[in-house]
Amino acid sequence: MKLTALDVGIILLYLVSVAAIGLILQKRAQANKEAYLLGGNTLPWYALGLSNASGMFDISGTMWMVMLGFVYGLKSIWIPWLWPSFNQIFLMMYLAAWLRRSNVTTGAEWMLTRFGRGKDSNKSHAIVVVFALLSCMGFLAYGFIGLGKFVEIFVPWSVVQPYLPFTIPAAYVPHFYGMLFTFFAVFYSILGGMASIVWADVLQYMIMTAAAVAIAVLAMNNLDVAQLNVPEGWKTPFFGATLDLDWTGIIDEVNAKIQADGYSLFGIFFMLMLFKGVLASLAGPTPSYDMQKVLSAKSPQDAAKMSGFVSVVLIPTRYLMIIGFTVLALLNYNQLNLHSANGIDFERILPAAIQNFAPNGLMGLILAGLLAAFIGTFAGTLNAAQAYLVNDVYLKYVNPKASNKTVNSINYLTGIVVVLVSMVLGLFAKDVNSLLQWIVAGLYGGYISANVLKWYWWRFNGNGFFWGMLAGIIPALVFPYFTEGLDLYYFPYLLLISLVGSIVGTYLAPPTDMETLKGFYRNVRPWGFWGPVAEQVKAEDPSFVENKNFWLDMFNVVIGVVGQMALTLLPIYLVLSMFTELMVVLGIILVVGVILKKTWWNRLDHDGDSVASSLKRKLVSHS
């Protein structure tokens, strides 16, 4: 099916709309650094939540998840724990509030509130900037490749080639398309900063929701006249030590895909994924667009609400689209063209299914939504990279007294440089999945140890953070060249190396200045191993209330993850017409909602008031 004038018109209308948002908000973004990078902390939590959800609804991730749904069925709902997807629950329950209480602009600036100022804290600050830029550019390259693969289906290279004065090897055609749309994303994100990104994301979410519902209805209508031919076990999310999905005689090529992915020993894979996921979630958000959205919230309470809202608005909508396209692809597999220069590419299922099954008008809506998803994710990640380069490099080391006009110019320049570097990275990446694996299992493996310890252990210092991060990042960059198979399997080695670096580095330097630690503890109020600091704070202010919510927060996390997985299964059971299971999942969601209303929502303002009251009493006692 070719794009019609209606489809092209819908896509152009979307592109014009987001460009207009960037131009309209350009003046507001130029007011100061905070206005550009954080939207001036004036954006409502529900808009930030929709924006964050839209940023996660990206083309590359959606292509990957449709492929997972096709190959692994309902067992695929666990594989996004690689990110881990449940880190939003940890943020919702306590970490978003802790982070927002710091009142900083970036994760690197946060280091100064935790480790103070000095030689060691400068090293910790620098290593976070390096990690943030590596991960941001990795994600930009990941989105860039996914977009190119997506566009290639709808605009065949054979149509474009005659109009160009040069030729491109077939393997690099997706990269060429990725570059074209990347330049458009750069335009509105660099002009309007965080505010334009958020409001463009809200528009994108509305488009994606409409498209997701339409695709789900189309899939359900197809299931009324045909049956899915899938292996035994495909329709259940439960599993044993091995995957036990045999596609022989159905679609034989899928067995080779399962073998290549390395998920056959699913029990071991799941335990490693859960182990890594819990530690990564305890470490808090990585220095990327997710962290910038948290720091942009009006208050700690708003930051927590925003993080909770992300799961509610993202998961049901996204999985309506994922299961819808999965069903359409399974019912009509022989009509899909999944061949690429490197053989059968299951990541092409999503664009091939859109091309074959979406009617006129709906195709334009879906394409506009998915292009919006790429542009929104790209823009948010680019904004985060700019924040680190401008706030933590230029304003800290180059020109601390720069005027607003100069800062705006540097914002534009750094945005262009980051995009060009990420494009070069994308040229060296084999495919979406390989880059994703390196980011989440490799690079983040080096991030975890130091970032868990910084929240929960008072003795941990800037020197320990620096050596812990360095000891993790270097092996993460090197291991892929000496190992084969799934990157997740070498995560424990990365974790151990990073942990040793963190502890040895900590004891090779004196503790962080006690005044810095007391200021951090009073403001953020973390639980964990803070005994000596808590004693001094309470000695100075007997009215200070120590945070003893560890068990409540962990209880809420468990309940929240159960609710998140139920939200994932809800649209899947609906589209597959598995109504008994659907009723069970609805019951679970209702119970989870009632529990969290009492144990989380009702306590948000109360906890915030107790912090404010404690700080007020502290100020009064010193006046």
Side-chain angles (χ1 to χ4, degrees):
M1 183 181 292
K2 303 295 183 183
L3 288 175
T4 65
L6 177 61
D7 296 319
V8 173
I10 291 171
I11 293 168
L12 290 176
L13 180 62
Y14 162 72
L15 294 175
V16 169
S17 298
V18 291
I21 289 172
L23 289 168
I24 290 167
L25 294 175
Q26 180 183 12
K27 186 174 181 181
R28 175 178 166 184
Q30 290 175 344
N32 54 48
K33 177 185 74 173
E34 286 72 22
Y36 187 89
L37 300 176
L38 301 177
N41 292 114
T42 60
L43 297 164
W45 62 266
Y46 48 85
L48 284 167
L50 283 174
S51 172
N52 218 8
S54 292
M56 295 173 190
F57 205 144
D58 64 302
I59 287 182
S60 301
T62 306
M63 287 171 65
W64 181 64
M65 292 166 81
V66 169
M67 178 272 289
L68 292 177
F70 184 98
V71 174
Y72 301 100
L74 270 68
K75 293 174 180 58
S76 68
I77 67 169
W78 307 108
I79 299 177
W81 282 17
L82 275 169
W83 288 104
S85 54
F86 57 74
N87 76 320
Q88 289 298 319
I89 305 301
F90 281 77
L91 285 169
M92 166 188 177
M93 300 310 171
Y94 69 96
L95 269 173
W98 289 10
L99 181 61
R100 180 61 185 83
R101 285 173 191 161
S102 61
N103 288 317
V104 294
T105 306
T106 66
E109 191 178 331
W110 182 93
M111 291 294 138
L112 302 178
T113 71
R114 172 63 177 84
F115 300 124
R117 297 179 184 273
K119 182 181 176 183
D120 290 342
S121 63
N122 284 341
K123 287 194 297 185
S124 66
H125 179 273
I127 198 75
V128 168
V129 173
V130 170
F131 177 87
L133 293 176
L134 272 176
S135 59
C136 283
M137 287 189 287
F139 272 115
L140 291 175
Y142 152 79
F144 161 79
I145 296 171
L147 176 74
K149 280 190 172 188
F150 183 80
V151 173
E152 188 181 11
I153 296 282
F154 300 95
V155 188
W157 184 241
S158 58
V159 175
V160 177
Q161 178 65 74
Y163 299 97
L164 297 176
F166 53 85
T167 59
I168 293 175
Y172 289 99
V173 170
H175 301 76
F176 174 75
Y177 284 133
M179 285 182 187
L180 291 180
F181 279 93
T182 292
F183 287 125
F184 179 82
V186 168
F187 172 77
Y188 94 92
S189 61
I190 287 180
L191 278 185
M194 178 63 80
S196 73
I197 290 168
V198 168
W199 292 115
D201 282 348
V202 171
L203 171 64
Q204 175 211 321
Y205 179 80
M206 292 188 288
I207 295 171
M208 293 303 291
T209 300
V213 170
I215 288 299
V217 170
L218 193 61
M220 292 172 76
N221 290 340
N222 273 254
L223 280 175
D224 286 341
V225 296
Q227 285 190 327
L228 288 180
N229 183 16
V230 292
E232 185 179 354
W234 190 92
K235 289 187 177 181
T236 175
F238 304 108
F239 57 89
T242 56
L243 195 60
D244 294 331
L245 280 176
D246 186 3
W247 284 86
T248 304
I250 305 172
I251 306 173
D252 293 340
E253 300 94 333
V254 178
N255 287 328
K257 173 63 178 170
I258 293 173
Q259 191 66 32
D261 282 348
Y263 299 159
S264 298
L265 297 173
F266 204 76
I268 295 173
F269 167 74
F270 179 82
M271 294 307 294
L272 272 173
M273 190 167 56
L274 180 62
F275 173 63
K276 172 194 164 291
V278 170
L279 287 174
S281 299
L282 285 168
T286 56
S288 64
Y289 68 86
D290 193 14
M291 180 181 282
Q292 292 308 117
K293 299 283 173 61
V294 172
L295 293 174
S296 298
K298 292 180 182 179
S299 66
Q301 292 80 11
D302 271 15
K305 291 174 184 176
M306 179 208 79
S307 298
F309 194 52
V310 168
S311 295
V312 174
V313 296
L314 170 67
I315 292 173
T317 302
R318 190 177 201 181
Y319 270 90
L320 272 177
M321 178 173 285
I322 289 166
I323 192 61
F325 278 123
T326 298
V327 166
L328 291 171
L330 283 166
L331 292 176
N332 304 277
Y333 177 72
N334 292 330
Q335 298 179 37
L336 302 180
N337 176 19
L338 302 182
H339 292 280
S340 68
N342 300 315
I344 291 181
D345 184 355
F346 286 94
E347 289 174 356
R348 292 168 68 108
I349 289 173
L350 174 63
I354 294 172
Q355 188 181 44
N356 280 275
F357 314 127
N360 295 343
L362 179 57
M363 181 185 283
L365 189 68
I366 294 167
L367 290 180
L370 287 171
L371 285 173
F374 163 76
I375 290 167
T377 306
F378 193 96
T381 308
L382 178 60
N383 177 266
Q386 288 175 279
Y388 284 91
L389 283 170
V390 174
N391 192 68
D392 298 299
V393 177
Y394 182 75
L395 289 176
K396 182 173 173 62
Y397 299 110
V398 180
N399 188 4
K401 297 181 179 179
S403 65
N404 276 341
K405 185 177 180 180
T406 302
V407 170
N408 287 329
S409 299
I410 295 298
N411 273 324
Y412 299 156
L413 177 64
T414 54
I416 293 167
V417 170
V418 167
V419 169
L420 292 175
V421 173
S422 69
M423 285 182 180
V424 174
L425 283 177
L427 292 173
F428 292 98
K430 183 175 69 175
D431 57 25
V432 170
N433 198 50
S434 63
L435 195 52
L436 173 69
Q437 288 286 345
W438 177 76
I439 293 170
V440 302
L443 188 58
Y444 283 14
Y447 170 87
I448 288 173
S449 291
N451 285 276
V452 169
L453 294 173
K454 75 183 183 186
W455 288 109
Y456 310 107
W457 184 32
W458 76 275
R459 179 60 178 84
F460 189 55
N461 55 25
N463 197 57
F465 188 92
F466 172 79
W467 288 108
M469 287 282 283
L470 194 65
I473 290 174
I474 291 175
L477 296 173
V478 172
F479 274 18
Y481 297 100
F482 298 97
T483 58
E484 293 184 3
L486 194 65
D487 294 353
L488 182 66
Y489 294 144
Y490 63 73
F491 164 73
Y493 303 105
L494 282 175
L495 182 69
L496 183 61
I497 294 168
S498 178
L499 183 62
V500 170
S502 297
I503 293 174
V504 171
T506 292
Y507 284 108
L508 286 177
T512 301
D513 173 67
M514 185 55 73
E515 289 305 312
T516 299
L517 290 174
K518 287 190 293 185
F520 176 83
Y521 185 74
R522 282 191 205 98
N523 193 28
V524 176
R525 293 179 66 244
W527 39 253
F529 302 98
W530 287 89
V533 180
E535 287 177 10
Q536 292 207 25
V537 169
K538 287 188 286 187
E540 293 178 4
D541 179 12
S543 64
F544 183 84
V545 180
E546 196 174 342
N547 183 351
K548 296 183 179 179
N549 289 338
F550 169 77
W551 291 110
L552 177 62
D553 288 341
M554 290 301 103
F555 171 79
N556 285 342
V557 163
V558 171
I559 296 298
V561 171
V562 170
Q564 189 184 54
M565 299 315 292
L567 281 172
T568 305
L569 287 168
L570 182 71
I572 297 176
Y573 286 145
L574 176 65
V575 171
L576 295 178
S577 299
M578 299 171 66
F579 295 117
T580 302
E581 293 86 348
L582 181 65
M583 290 300 107
V584 172
V585 164
L586 282 171
I588 292 171
I589 292 171
L590 181 62
V591 171
V592 165
V594 170
I595 293 172
L596 291 182
K597 174 68 167 60
K598 298 190 67 161
T599 61
W600 173 70
W601 181 271
N602 290 349
R603 298 177 61 87
L604 281 175
D605 292 334
H606 168 76
D607 287 349
D609 288 344
S610 67
V611 176
S613 299
S614 178
L615 290 174
K616 184 177 179 181
R617 284 192 295 271
K618 181 68 181 171
L619 291 171
V620 170
S621 68
H622 282 275
S623 61

